[in-house]
């Protein structure tokens, strides 16, 4: 009796690397990714943040295996069972997984948190992970990652739409940090405790009118610089937003810069992750409609807090103007959960500018490659010019949960 080899889904390039590995883990389909930065003369192959993400996948799954070529430009990934934090399988302190991120990482911590929260509802046990190390960046980054504040206030509440209680999801920021010199490293500490595991996400029908903005919340954060930068950012953002919305509250958060070892023989340390930024989230009168914006000072500096505040306020207005029930930062998370849900047709209202991005088109292609149905598109019933996306769930359930 001959055993057939698994049929690999083949991809090329480094784009959507984490997204494809998450879909592979959820659907159980092995993948083969080649030509990862193969044309780069200086840094070919996997980047430090991608290698760190592979180690994270190995820690939260059981039975996963991966083979990486000598140059790092090709990887073969066989997914395993999503176990979460189980004692004896990589977990420390009983139910907590410690994941260290190297100082050469240029991506924000949400690069790891977003995929982890997509896997957590389908985990056998609670997904409790503490991120530490000299590479943790909790602020927004110039590479396109959102801050932990936007992730906590604009992404995590959306899980309630799928029957996943956000009350059992906790994100602790134990040490804030911005990007260090060259956009690398920060030295923060973040802990995610995801205790909401479900058998199957509910079918989402989110195609009603998004309504009007009724309140705006935000966080101005400063790390290792003067705390007056917070009030300056808040004041400049309010100058733009006050004429439009009356209910505005922006909190100020100040942290000292974390001490990070320099790596020399003397064991000396230095302050890293110095900077400031602003996160804004607008909530609509319709339930579950959130828009977010993030702006952080560049790692090279040279930008005053007033500019950061105004840029963030105008960015939020642009996101609101795009319309729909989800913004571009949360659209991929919602659409993936819809595709993994029960075998029924869900509907989501999105703006044309959100759906027409390269990332959304790539997501639709990847979902179809992994066995999901194609999206159905139609115009919204009103004259807003927005679209309603119909997504049929594939019925990817949590094998660790009994059927009720």
């Amino acid at each position: 009796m001959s055993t057939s080899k698994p049929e690999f889904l083949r991809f090329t390039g480094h784009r959507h690397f984490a997204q494809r590995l998450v879909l592979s883990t959820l659907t159980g389909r092995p993948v083969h990714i080649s030509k990862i930065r193969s044309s780069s003369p200086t840094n070919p192959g996997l980047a430090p943040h991608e290698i760190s993400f592979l180690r994270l996948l190995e820690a939260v799954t059981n039975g996963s295996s991966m083979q990486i070529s000598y140059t790092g430009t090709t990887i073969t990934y066989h997914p395993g069972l999503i176990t979460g934090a189980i004692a004896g399988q990589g977990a420390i302190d009983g139910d907590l997984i410690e994941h260290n991120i190297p100082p050469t990482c240029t991506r924000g911590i949400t690069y790891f948190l977003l995929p982890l929260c997509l896997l957590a509802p389908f985990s056998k046990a609670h997904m409790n992970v503490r991120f530490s190390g000299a590479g943790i960046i909790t602020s927004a980054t110039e590479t396109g990652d959102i801050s932990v504040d936007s992730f906590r206030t604009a992404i995590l509440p959306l899980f309630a739409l799928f029957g996943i209680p956000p009350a059992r999801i906790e994100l602790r920021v134990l040490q804030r940090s911005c990007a260090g010199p060259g956009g690398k490293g920060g030295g923060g500490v973040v802990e995610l405790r995801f205790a909401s595991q479900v058998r199957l996400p509910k079918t989402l029908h989110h195609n009603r009118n998004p309504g009007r903005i009724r309140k705006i919340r935000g966080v101005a954060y400063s790390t290792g610089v003067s705390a007056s930068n917070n009030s300056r950012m808040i004041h400049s953002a309010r100058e733009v937003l006050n004429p439009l919305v009356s209910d505005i509250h922006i909190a100020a958060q100040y942290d000292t810069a974390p001490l990070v070892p320099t790596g020399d023989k003397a064991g000396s340390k230095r302050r890293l992750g110095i900077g400031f930024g602003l996160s804004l989230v607008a909530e609509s009168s319709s339930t579950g409609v959130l828009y977010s914006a993030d702006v952080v000072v560049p790692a090279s500096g040279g930008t005053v807090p007033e500019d950061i505040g105004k840029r963030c306020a105008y960015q939020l207005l642009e996101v609101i103007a795009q319309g729909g029930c989800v913004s571009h930062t949360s659209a991929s998370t919602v659409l993936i959960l819809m595709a993994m849900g029960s075998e029924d047709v869900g509907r989501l209202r999105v703006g044309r500018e959100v759906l027409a991005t390269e990332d959304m088109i790539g997501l639709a292609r990847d979902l179809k490659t992994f066995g999901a149905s194609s999206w159905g598109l139609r115009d919204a019933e009103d004259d807003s010019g927005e679209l309603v996306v119909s997504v049929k769930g594939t019925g990817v359930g949590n094998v660790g949960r009994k059927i009720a």
Side-chain angles (χ1 to χ4, degrees):
M1 183 177 179
S2 61
T3 57
S4 58
K5 295 182 179 180
E7 182 181 353
F8 291 99
L9 300 179
R10 300 186 178 273
F11 301 95
T12 58
H14 67 280
R15 296 289 304 273
H16 315 298
F17 179 79
Q19 173 181 289
R20 288 165 175 169
L21 293 183
V22 167
L23 293 176
S24 172
T25 308
L26 290 173
T27 59
R29 303 285 298 274
V31 295
H32 179 273
I33 306 177
S34 58
K35 298 181 180 179
I36 302 175
R37 299 183 183 87
S38 56
S39 60
S40 175
T42 55
N43 297 305
L46 295 170
H49 60 270
E50 293 165 343
I51 297 175
S52 183
F53 180 72
L54 289 173
R55 291 173 178 165
L56 177 63
L57 272 183
E58 189 179 19
V60 300
T61 59
N62 184 21
S64 297
S65 64
M66 53 198 75
Q67 293 81 37
I68 305 174
S69 65
Y70 180 75
T71 57
T73 57
T74 303
I75 177 176
T76 301
Y77 174 69
H78 292 260
L81 178 67
I82 308 172
T83 56
I86 296 180
Q89 296 184 4
I92 62 172
D93 296 336
D95 65 341
L96 187 65
I97 296 174
E98 184 82 28
H99 185 67
N100 189 276
I101 296 181
T104 53
C105 181
T106 58
R107 301 299 300 263
I109 189 60
T110 51
Y111 174 84
F112 304 91
L113 291 175
L114 280 168
L116 196 63
C117 286
L118 289 173
L119 298 175
F122 305 93
S123 174
K124 184 177 181 181
H126 296 174
M127 191 73 76
N128 301 333
V129 182
R130 179 189 294 147
F131 296 90
S132 59
I136 302 292
I137 305 173
T138 64
S139 68
T141 62
E142 297 178 59
T143 52
D145 301 307
I146 62 175
S147 66
V148 291
D149 302 293
S150 293
F151 178 79
R152 177 167 47 193
T153 55
I155 303 294
L156 291 182
L158 298 178
F159 283 86
L161 302 174
F162 298 92
I164 304 171
R168 303 194 66 192
I169 307 173
E170 184 180 6
L171 181 64
R172 303 175 182 174
V173 184
L174 306 180
Q175 174 64 62
R176 290 179 177 270
S177 63
C178 296
K184 297 180 181 180
V189 180
V190 176
E191 187 175 308
L192 174 68
R193 291 187 175 268
F194 201 113
S196 296
Q197 279 69 44
V198 294
R199 173 63 188 175
L200 203 62
K202 293 182 180 179
T203 302
L204 177 64
H205 296 284
H206 208 28
N207 56 343
R208 58 188 177 275
N209 191 297
R212 294 181 176 273
I213 302 301
R214 63 187 182 92
K215 65 180 181 180
I216 294 176
R217 296 293 182 263
V219 175
Y221 51 89
S222 296
T223 307
V225 295
S226 174
S228 63
N229 291 328
N230 290 335
S231 58
R232 293 167 65 183
M233 286 186 291
I234 294 172
H235 180 73
S236 60
R238 277 184 168 276
E239 286 183 346
V240 178
L241 299 174
N242 276 344
L244 306 175
V245 184
S246 59
D247 188 1
I248 301 176
H249 178 73
I250 305 175
Q253 181 72 40
Y254 173 77
D255 284 67
T256 57
L259 278 170
V260 177
T262 58
D264 58 1
K265 294 182 179 179
S268 58
K269 297 182 179 181
R270 62 168 179 164
R271 297 285 181 181
L272 196 65
I274 298 173
F276 53 88
L278 179 62
S279 166
L280 294 176
V281 176
E283 184 176 335
S284 173
S285 56
S286 181
T287 305
V289 179
L290 302 169
Y291 307 99
S292 63
D294 259 306
V295 178
V296 66
V297 65
S300 57
T303 306
V304 296
E306 286 78 7
D307 291 343
I308 298 295
K310 287 184 178 180
R311 282 172 52 192
C312 191
Y314 285 125
Q315 186 182 107
L316 180 65
L317 296 180
E318 289 178 3
V319 173
I320 295 172
Q322 291 175 357
C325 294
V326 291
S327 62
H328 65 279
T329 57
S330 58
S332 59
T333 301
V334 174
L335 288 169
I336 290 176
L337 287 174
M338 291 177 68
M340 297 297 116
S342 57
E343 297 183 31
D344 195 3
V345 178
R347 296 170 180 85
L348 178 67
R349 180 166 176 159
V350 297
R352 290 180 181 270
E353 295 182 20
V354 175
L355 196 63
T357 59
E358 187 177 349
D359 291 337
M360 286 297 101
I361 295 173
L363 174 62
R365 291 172 176 171
D366 287 348
L367 286 173
K368 185 172 178 60
T369 303
F370 281 97
S373 301
S374 301
W375 295 346
L377 302 177
R378 64 177 175 85
D379 291 325
E381 296 179 355
D382 51 22
D383 57 352
S384 61
E386 298 168 358
L387 297 173
V388 175
V389 183
S390 300
V391 182
K392 185 178 183 300
T394 56
V396 174
N398 189 339
V399 297
R401 291 277 165 176
K402 295 181 180 180
I403 300 177

